[in-house]
Each structure stands twice: as structure tokens, then as C-alpha cells.
Amino acid sequence: MPKTRTASPTTKPRRAAILSSLAICLLLVLLLIPGHPDQFTLSRLQELPLDVPLIVLLLLLLNRTLSTMVRLLVTGAVLCLLLLRLGDLISRAAFGRAFNPLAEWHLIQQGWTLTSDTIGKAEAIALTGLGIGILLTLAVLLYRGLGYLDQLNRQWRRSWLLLCCIPLLSAMATAGGPGRHVLSLDTQWVLAGELIDRIQYTQWAVRDQARFSEALQVDELEGREPAFAALSGRDVIIIYVESYGRSFVDNPQFREQARHRLQAVQNETVSAGLHVRSAWVDSPIRGGRSWLAHSTVASGLRLTNHARFDRLISSDRKSLPRLFKQAGWTTSVVLPVVKSHWVEGAWYQVDRFFDHAALDYQGEGFGFVTMPDQYTLTAFERQVRATADAPLMAHIGLLDSHAPWGPLPRHQAWEDIEDGSLFDGTQRYGERHSWARAEPVRKAYGTAVEQNLKLVGEYLARYADDALVIVLGDHQPASVIAGWAPNAHVPMHVFSADEALLERLPDDMFSHGMLPAEQATALPMESIRGLLGTVFEATPSHWQPLTGSDSTT
């Protein structure tokens, strides 16, 4: 009879030693994963989270029941830490700031909308499922792997105990003052330190809400409802150009391209009888969340996060469109990006709101871009401006230059736009870009913004007439485009056929032409409401920009 092969008595301890060692390495790696893109460096490998030797000591010294509880706590804590750091990485890459679950929970839904509209719902579901699967697999491997510490033989237990005591004792010895660790590693308490940081960040968010509630009680226009008398009988149109930041104008990669386009727009609009002044505006945001910029202009308050936005739209503060409405204007907001309930509508209090459905676009979408801006502007003239029964004050949000900057709609003759059905699958160019390769994304961004400015110039030359038109960037682009610039400035251009209106604007901020002066004082975005409500009175009142901010960007 063949002999039965039996396992060596050392097989089980050896297997336990290998698997537990791998689990400890996994724990170390997971704790070293940073929450900031700039921390992905080799120097990160010189750090030793003291949590690791402490956790291993506890699992070796506690009985099985208590060690099981510790494993559950450790696995849950590490999983939460990974999710928060993943949120930080995405938020920092897009907005230049850490993720705050208390103030910015809505970004999860916004991220899902952008991803699903860009790459497709099925692909987004698959990508999300893959991410969840990876996280759950890591959690199971960590929990099961640390359980093998219970099965170590005496020799391995002594080795791990000794190995874990060295960094802990070294840290204790140097805790009271300067000194060198026994190991040439940077030791720190990761889980506890991160927990403290998160608590402090949450406390900051609570204090920020308190400051914002106080700011809501103060209105620079309080006690003098503006009549906008100098604008009487004129349409007033604010056009937001998505991701149009100072980086497009100043960054060496786009500088020549931007200046050529700005000069071309200036030439075209001047030939049509318009005059233009331009300034830098300090936006409260970077990389995204355009609705915060729109609401900052409308409210005269600096909206740096969604918690502030939620507080604003539940307040009785008067929006800029509401002020124009009280002064006799018909008011409208046009946002082709909106496909569901416009939550801030009750606060804005406009006469008419036009979302994706109301604009009645019959062509195809372009990923996150629901319809080409050329159609949006054509529909605005046909459905909104031509049907207004009084001078119109309107707010329009353009989309063509929204991330991910591809594919883009081909330019059409304005008279051929009609219901937009000509924008079928053939009327597009460019492609979806993977952000893993930055250069194609940057090129696509430059093309998208330049094309949008060209489109706006054509629109103004064709349709502006005697309206006062403000063209305003909402925020700097994400850091993948030009890194994080030293400021959050965006360009603002004010057009009018009546040059006397533009002469009312402050000279230290507004320059002649389409290019703001390089050293000009930046206008805080929250000051635009007060500026319009002051300098365009019959007799302009003294106006001062809001100084400073009650919260950083």
C-alpha cells in the first residue's frame, strides 16, 4: 500500500509565522498610505507607525477573546482610515483641500454623477464595485492574517515581542526631549494622531458654521435696496465660464494661446460696438463645486464649503437676482447641468428657471456636458430673452470647459442650431482622457477653454446689443492642469455698448480690454453683489470691497 504523507509538526507554526508576518507587513503598508498626493515619496518608507508594534504586542499578550476584539477594532479603524484618506486624495487632487465628511458629504454624490456621466453608468458601477471589493478583501486579509499570531510557537512569539519592544521603548526614551531613536526611522502614532486631526478638523467645521451664521446677519446693502438706476431698461447677463481660472491666462503652457484668444474676442466685440473692462476676482473655491461660486456672487458671502451653502439657502438673505427683481427686472437662471431638483431655487427666487429639460435640447450629450454651450446660448436668446416682459437679469452656467474636457462639440453656424438635433454623434471631436497621463488632459483643457471664449465672443458680437454682460470664471482648474497656483483668481470681463457704465468700475481693479493688469488688486468674489448694487445707482455710492475673509479657501 502507498504510504500516506503526513504534515511535519513544524508546518503549522511555520505557516502561522509566514501568514502573521505578511499580515503585519500589510498593516504597516496600509498605515503608510498617505492622504496627500505630495506624500507619495520614498521617504515615506522611512516612517514607522508605532501603532503596529503596539497592536502586535496586544495580540500576543491578550487572551483569544480579547485579541479577537482588538483585531475587529483594528480592522475597522484601518478600513475607515483608508476611506478617509482616499477621500482626502480625491479632494486634494480636485479642490486642493482635505475631505471633511461633516461639511462635504455631498461630494460623494457629485463625484458619482461626474464619473457616471463621463465614463458611463455601467463602467462607473464596475469601478465602484472593484474599489469596494479591494477594500473588503484587504480588510478580510488583515483580520484573518493577524489571527495567526495566536498560533505562533514560543520561539516566534519571543522574537516578535522583542522586535516590537525596541521601537516602543525607543519612542518612550525620547518622548521627554530631543534624542535619537535606536532605529533610524521616523516613528509616530498614526491612528491616534489621525483621530485627533480629524476631530480638530470637525471642530473647525463647527466653528466655521458659527462664524458664517454671524456673517449672515450683516449685509453691506442692508437699509438701501438698490435700484440699479444706471442700468434701467437694459438686460443684465452674468455668464459663468467653467474652469476659467488665472492659470489659463498666466501659465506658460497656455499663456500665448490665452492671449491670442482674449485679443481676438476683444477685436470682435469692439468691432460690434462693445467696450470691455477686465479684472481678477478671488474665488472661494478651486478645482470644482461651481455652485459655491455662483452662490457667492448671488449672496455676497464667501461660500467655501457645502455646509455654508446649506445654511445660506435656508436663510432669508436676498440673492442678487432677487434684488434685481425688486427693482423691476424679470429674472432667470439657466443651468443645463441640472437634471433633478434645483435645491437652491427657493432661495434665489427667480421668475423662471431653465434646467436640462426646460431647454428642450434634441441632440446628444457629451458625457457630463449635457448640451453644447452654443445651443444653451441660442436657446437662451430664443426661450428666455426674447420672451421676457421686462428688462432681463439672467445667470447662465456654461459647461463645454467642464472636466474631463472631452469629447468637445464642433462649432456650428449660429443660424443652424435650431433645436440642437444637428449635434449628433458626428459633431464632436477629442476623446475621454485618462488623468493618469496629465499632458493630454492639459492640452484638452486649453482647447476647451479657448473654444468657450471664442464662442462667448461670437455670442456677444451677435446678441449683446445694449445689455450689460459679465463673463466670469468660476474657479481655477484642478491641480492636474497647472498644479495649485498661488491664488484662486479667475478673470472677470464686463461688456457694454455704453462706455460710461464701465467707467463707474474701480480703476484699481478693472483694466481696459480683455486682459486684467497683472498687478491689479483682485476683487473678492463675494464683493460683486455689493459692487453692482452700489456703482450702478443713479448717483454711485461710495463702495469698498469686502476686506479679508472669514474663512480660508
Side-chain angles (χ1 to χ4, degrees):
M1 293 181 61
K3 293 183 179 180
T4 303
R5 188 172 183 180
T6 58
S8 166
T10 61
T11 300
K12 186 175 180 180
R14 184 184 298 120
R15 180 169 179 267
I18 294 173
L19 293 177
S20 61
S21 298
L22 290 174
I24 293 170
C25 290
L26 177 61
L27 175 61
L28 178 63
V29 170
L30 294 179
L31 291 181
L32 286 177
I33 293 176
H36 196 298
D38 294 342
Q39 293 176 347
F40 282 93
T41 61
L42 291 177
S43 62
R44 188 78 174 173
L45 300 178
Q46 296 179 331
E47 298 178 8
L48 174 64
L50 291 173
D51 314 64
V52 175
L54 179 62
I55 290 169
V56 173
L57 275 179
L58 289 174
L59 293 176
L60 289 172
L61 297 176
L62 295 175
N63 61 42
R64 179 162 296 182
T65 301
L66 291 176
S67 68
T68 299
M69 294 176 60
V70 170
R71 281 193 291 141
L72 284 171
L73 288 173
V74 168
T75 302
V78 171
L79 186 59
C80 288
L81 183 66
L82 285 177
L83 288 171
L84 289 169
R85 285 182 174 178
L86 179 61
D88 283 348
L89 286 170
I90 296 172
S91 184
R92 288 185 188 279
F95 311 129
R97 61 188 297 165
F99 175 64
N100 187 340
L102 184 66
E104 298 170 329
W105 53 268
H106 71 288
L107 291 179
I108 298 173
Q109 179 183 355
Q110 294 294 326
W112 166 257
T113 300
L114 176 59
T115 303
S116 59
D117 286 349
T118 300
I119 68 174
K121 184 166 290 187
E123 290 84 353
I125 291 174
L127 186 63
T128 302
L130 177 63
I132 293 174
I134 291 174
L135 287 174
L136 291 178
T137 299
L138 290 173
V140 170
L141 290 175
L142 182 62
Y143 176 78
R144 294 287 301 274
L146 292 176
Y148 283 101
L149 287 169
D150 277 340
Q151 301 177 24
L152 293 179
N153 59 28
R154 186 174 300 175
Q155 180 181 354
W156 273 101
R157 293 176 73 87
R158 282 200 302 264
S159 298
W160 274 117
L161 286 170
L162 178 62
L163 193 60
C164 291
C165 285
I166 293 174
L168 291 174
L169 292 174
S170 175
M172 291 173 60
T174 58
R180 291 187 59 84
H181 291 284
V182 174
L183 299 175
S184 58
L185 296 172
D186 179 16
T187 58
Q188 56 183 310
W189 296 102
V190 173
L191 288 175
E194 189 112 357
L195 177 62
I196 292 172
D197 288 343
R198 298 285 174 182
I199 292 174
Q200 290 176 342
Y201 198 20
T202 301
Q203 290 173 336
W204 169 87
V206 173
R207 291 193 300 270
D208 181 69
Q209 277 294 285
R211 288 194 299 269
F212 186 70
S213 295
E214 293 175 0
L216 266 173
Q217 308 306 314
V218 181
D219 190 342
E220 60 181 326
L221 296 178
E222 187 174 1
R224 51 182 182 89
E225 300 292 338
F228 306 102
L231 302 174
S232 180
R234 300 175 185 271
D235 290 345
V236 178
I237 304 170
I238 301 178
I239 300 175
Y240 291 91
V241 178
E242 174 66 38
S243 301
Y244 177 33
R246 187 164 184 168
S247 293
F248 177 71
V249 179
D250 285 352
N251 188 272
Q253 181 165 355
F254 311 112
R255 184 181 178 90
E256 183 177 346
Q257 179 183 12
R259 277 159 171 70
H260 171 77
R261 178 49 54 198
L262 291 174
Q263 186 61 53
V265 172
Q266 180 173 322
N267 294 342
E268 185 171 21
T269 53
V270 167
S271 296
L274 299 176
H275 305 274
V276 60
R277 300 288 189 278
S278 298
W280 299 119
V281 170
D282 186 31
S283 175
I285 55 172
R286 298 172 185 241
R289 303 171 295 169
S290 304
W291 64 95
L292 298 183
H294 300 175
S295 299
T296 292
V297 173
S299 68
L301 292 169
R302 196 168 184 81
L303 301 181
T304 55
N305 56 62
H306 198 75
R308 287 187 165 211
F309 174 82
D310 285 339
R311 179 69 184 87
L312 169 70
I313 63 176
S314 64
S315 74
D316 58 1
R317 187 181 185 87
K318 294 179 180 179
S319 69
L320 181 61
R322 185 177 170 187
L323 293 174
F324 269 96
K325 183 177 180 178
Q326 290 178 175
W329 272 259
T330 294
T331 55
S332 294
V333 167
V334 180
L335 294 177
V337 70
V338 176
K339 295 182 181 179
S340 57
H341 179 59
W342 188 44
V343 294
E344 58 266 47
W347 176 77
Y348 269 87
Q349 294 192 22
V350 295
D351 295 309
R352 296 188 295 173
F353 172 62
F354 292 81
D355 60 3
H356 174 267
L359 289 169
D360 199 26
Y361 174 62
Q362 299 301 309
E364 294 188 9
F366 291 75
F368 185 80
V369 177
T370 59
M371 63 188 69
D373 290 337
Q374 193 174 12
Y375 175 81
T376 298
L377 292 171
T378 303
F380 167 71
E381 287 295 317
R382 181 178 64 243
Q383 297 177 231
V384 186
R385 199 172 177 198
T387 61
D389 55 7
L392 175 69
M393 187 276 171
H395 156 160
I396 307 171
L398 300 184
L399 278 179
D400 281 356
S401 52
H402 195 288
W405 306 296
L408 297 172
R410 294 188 184 280
H411 184 274
Q412 308 294 327
W414 287 88
E415 58 272 14
D416 295 338
I417 300 299
E418 298 180 345
D419 64 358
S421 56
L422 81 166
F423 288 105
D424 57 20
T426 65
Q427 301 304 316
R428 61 183 64 204
Y429 71 97
E431 57 187 19
R432 297 172 182 168
H433 298 283
S434 167
W435 284 28
R437 296 176 59 239
E439 193 53 39
V441 178
R442 292 170 184 151
K443 185 177 180 180
Y445 164 79
T447 300
V449 175
E450 182 184 9
Q451 175 175 298
N452 234 10
L453 292 175
K454 178 179 185 296
L455 186 70
V456 169
E458 290 183 3
Y459 167 77
L460 292 170
R462 189 180 183 91
Y463 295 111
D465 295 327
D466 67 343
L468 181 83
V469 183
I470 297 172
V471 178
L472 178 63
D474 50 8
H475 54 73
Q476 291 269 42
S479 61
V480 68
I481 300 303
W484 287 118
N487 56 63
H489 296 172
V490 296
M492 174 179 176
H493 313 290
V494 186
F495 297 85
S496 176
D498 185 353
E499 189 171 15
L501 287 177
L502 303 185
E503 290 173 352
R504 293 168 172 257
L505 299 171
D507 291 335
D508 61 330
M509 295 181 177
F510 287 85
S511 309
H512 287 260
M514 287 289 291
L515 186 63
E518 186 173 349
Q519 300 301 324
T521 303
L523 172 69
M525 187 172 277
E526 61 270 28
S527 292
I528 292 176
R529 175 176 175 269
L531 173 69
L532 299 180
T534 303
V535 301
F536 291 120
E537 295 297 86
T539 302
S541 305
H542 177 69
W543 174 82
Q544 280 290 116
L546 298 175
T547 56
S549 170
D550 59 325
S551 179
T552 60
T553 302

